[in-house]
Every structure is written in C-alpha cells, then in structure tokens.
Amino acid sequence: EMSEFEDTENLLLAVPKKGRLYENVVKILKGAGLYYVREHRRDIAMCTPEKVTIVFLPAHDIATYVSSGNVDMGITGEDIIAETEADVDVLAPLHMGQCRVAFQAPKASNIKSPEDLVNKRIVTSFPVVTKKYFDKLQPGHNTSIRYVTGSVEIAPSLGLCDAVVDLVETGTTMKAAGLMEVGTIMRTQTVLIANKHTQHQDLVSKLHERIVGYITATQNMMISYNCPKDRLDDAARITPGHEAPTVTLLHNEKFVSVTALVKTKNVPALMDDLKAIGAQSIVSIPVSNCRF
C-alpha cells in the first residue's frame, strides 16, 4: 500500500489504526478540517480539501515512521517516542491518553521500590525505557528484562518475573492482577509530532495551529455575565480570559457585560464566585473551535 503515496505531494499524517486513542483522534482530524472517507480494510485515506493523506498505523510504529522520514506528522504517546528512541519534533500535548509507565509488583511480595528490583527479573513491553532506568539507577546491574507484547500483568502470577513495567491509567487492571505500583519511570500523554526534515513545513504549521485550536476549544467554554461596574476588577481576577476579558457597555449604566474564555471544568465554581460579587445573567457557552 505504501507505493500508493510514494509519488504524491501530499503531507502524510500517521494516526493509530485502532485502540483506546482511535475515537478521540477521529474527532481531532474532523476538528482540524481534515475530511476523509476510509474504505473498509484500507489503511490510507485522502483528505479534502487539504493536501493531506491519513495513514492508519499500529500505534507503536508511528514515532518510528515520523522520525525516519517516511511520514510528516503523527499522533502518538510520549511513552512510544521514548521506547523507540524516535528523533522527532514534539509540537503539542493533546491532553488525552494520560497515564504513566510504572513498576508493578505482587502485593504479597516484599518489593516496595525500584531499588528492590535491581538484579531481579522484569517483564515489560518497554524494555528500552526500563533498561535506561536501571542503567541510571545502578550502572553495571544484572537485571533481567524480558520483552512481551501484551497482557504483561499476568507474568508475575505465571512465575515469569518478580515485577512488571507497564502503563497504568486508572490502576484497575493492575489491582485485578494482584499487583501494586512501586515506582514510576515516566508520565506520558498523547502528543502531536512532526518529522524534523519534512518538505511540508507550511502545512505542518497550519495543521499544528488547527489541532491546538480544536484541543483548546474542547477544554474551554465562553462565560458571559452582567457585572456591576464597581466590581469589574474582581470580575477580571475571577475570569481573566485568554488575554483579557471582553467588556461591553449595557443600556443599564450600573452594569457592564463581560465575556471571557474559561476552563470547562472550572465553570461551576466560577459561577459561584461571580454570583458572590453581584454578577447576574451568568451563561456558559460551548466553543466548537478557536484560534489564538
């Protein structure tokens, strides 16, 4: 399939073909104005109206494709960039897929920290990151690090290792397997990456801006309210907005109308604070997209 776009002048954007990030990534592409039709069982889709070709790849391979020059941009996890030692430009965090690469040991064991695991047996799908951690912790160590591709959490109960290094998001899988977290190697989230030698720098910059605008919109709302003129300083402190709140005169001269961008998760508490300074007609409005 790769031969299909070797001749094309389109920018190549790699995204996960399935898995926990896939649904969110589809929303990001739409939010960035990349419209495509993905045919059944095909891992390539041409976009309209932009000169972009989407390539659906296994999540673990995306950073390698972007760093080695085949693909211009990608969406992947910081953990995968670290594990594959990919040399890419990290353009922006996408505020999703947050988790950590952590040491997990059986609850019944006497392992309390990574130091207790030096020269012991580790099973992981992150052998590079794990080895680097131990090399720094104790140079010349003799820790056994064995690679498996999935279901890492069952390895201790099957007698394969003393502990595992795996992704922890909520900890549900870990606890169900009778494991506990005993140390963190790194925190990770999904990021937008680019090839350092891309021939499409202008389009990379444009998509970067669009995607950041869409992600900002998903995390924020506009809040609008009528504020007593003499409490405007308090209002500006409560809702400073992106750069500054927008203030508009009203027919009622004792009040002004204030509009500001705020974090969605903070809206209920901000409404309480605004009510306390005498604000009225407080309304929150969803933002579908934005650009700063």
Side-chain angles (χ1 to χ4, degrees):
E1 282 196 42
M2 293 302 257
S3 62
E4 287 184 45
F5 46 71
E6 277 170 2
D7 309 328
T8 178
E9 291 180 9
N10 281 17
L11 175 146
L12 300 181
L13 169 61
V15 301
K17 66 192 296 182
K18 58 183 182 193
R20 63 199 185 100
L21 295 177
Y22 177 74
E23 293 303 324
N24 281 333
V25 168
V26 168
K27 289 177 188 167
I28 289 172
L29 297 177
K30 194 175 176 185
L34 297 175
Y35 302 103
Y36 62 90
V37 176
R38 184 183 179 187
E39 292 175 31
H40 182 57
R41 299 181 72 89
R42 304 260 302 152
D43 291 335
I44 296 168
M46 310 290 268
C47 291
T48 54
E50 303 299 342
K51 287 197 158 189
V52 176
T53 299
I54 309 282
V55 194
F56 298 89
L57 294 172
H60 197 272
D61 297 335
I62 288 172
T64 306
Y65 274 103
V66 175
S67 69
S68 64
N70 309 12
V71 175
D72 299 288
M73 295 180 83
I75 292 175
T76 191
E78 290 171 306
D79 53 305
I80 291 167
I81 298 169
E83 181 59 32
T84 56
E85 300 179 292
D87 185 22
V88 294
D89 279 336
V90 177
L91 300 179
L94 300 181
H95 303 286
M96 62 189 203
Q98 288 102 334
C99 48
R100 40 197 192 282
V101 180
F103 289 97
Q104 302 164 38
K107 286 178 190 165
S109 71
N110 55 5
I111 294 159
K112 299 288 176 264
S113 72
E115 284 79 4
D116 298 333
L117 291 165
V118 175
N119 301 332
K120 295 275 203 309
R121 300 170 305 151
I122 308 286
V123 160
T124 183
S125 48
F126 296 96
V128 172
V129 169
T130 304
K131 184 178 183 306
K132 275 187 180 173
Y133 184 91
F134 281 112
D135 288 347
K136 196 173 175 184
L137 186 64
Q138 190 171 314
H141 67 94
N142 195 28
T143 312
S144 161
I145 299 167
R146 185 170 287 186
Y147 174 69
V148 297
T149 55
S151 301
V152 177
E153 70 282 349
I154 64 167
S157 63
L158 296 178
L160 197 59
C161 61
D162 301 297
V164 302
V165 170
D166 201 10
L167 288 177
V168 179
E169 193 171 8
T170 59
T172 311
T173 307
M174 173 178 71
K175 286 169 188 150
L179 304 176
M180 61 180 180
E181 197 171 331
V182 293
T184 301
I185 293 184
M186 70 178 289
R187 293 190 173 279
T188 173
Q189 68 168 306
T190 307
V191 290
L192 180 67
I193 61 172
N195 183 320
K196 289 185 171 179
H197 310 289
T198 178
Q199 302 298 304
H200 301 278
Q201 191 55 60
D202 288 351
L203 192 46
V204 166
S205 298
K206 185 198 278 189
L207 293 183
H208 174 199
E209 207 168 285
R210 285 187 184 187
I211 289 169
V212 168
Y214 172 74
I215 294 293
T216 304
T218 63
Q219 295 190 301
N220 292 274
M221 298 186 90
M222 293 301 287
I223 197 163
S224 171
Y225 55 94
N226 296 343
C227 176
K229 266 187 183 169
D230 59 353
R231 302 304 298 270
L232 199 48
D233 286 347
D234 292 323
R237 183 178 44 76
I238 296 167
T239 60
H242 180 67
E243 283 153 354
T246 302
V247 179
T248 313
L249 295 175
L250 291 174
H251 191 61
N252 178 344
E253 291 181 0
K254 290 180 182 173
F255 283 81
V256 288
S257 173
V258 180
T259 308
L261 193 74
V262 296
K263 289 268 178 226
T264 302
K265 63 182 181 185
N266 297 340
V267 166
L270 291 174
M271 286 185 165
D272 295 340
D273 294 344
L274 291 169
K275 202 87 179 30
I277 64 163
Q280 298 175 1
S281 305
I282 309 166
V283 179
S284 65
I285 307 149
V287 179
S288 64
N289 217 325
C290 62
R291 201 73 60 89
F292 295 111

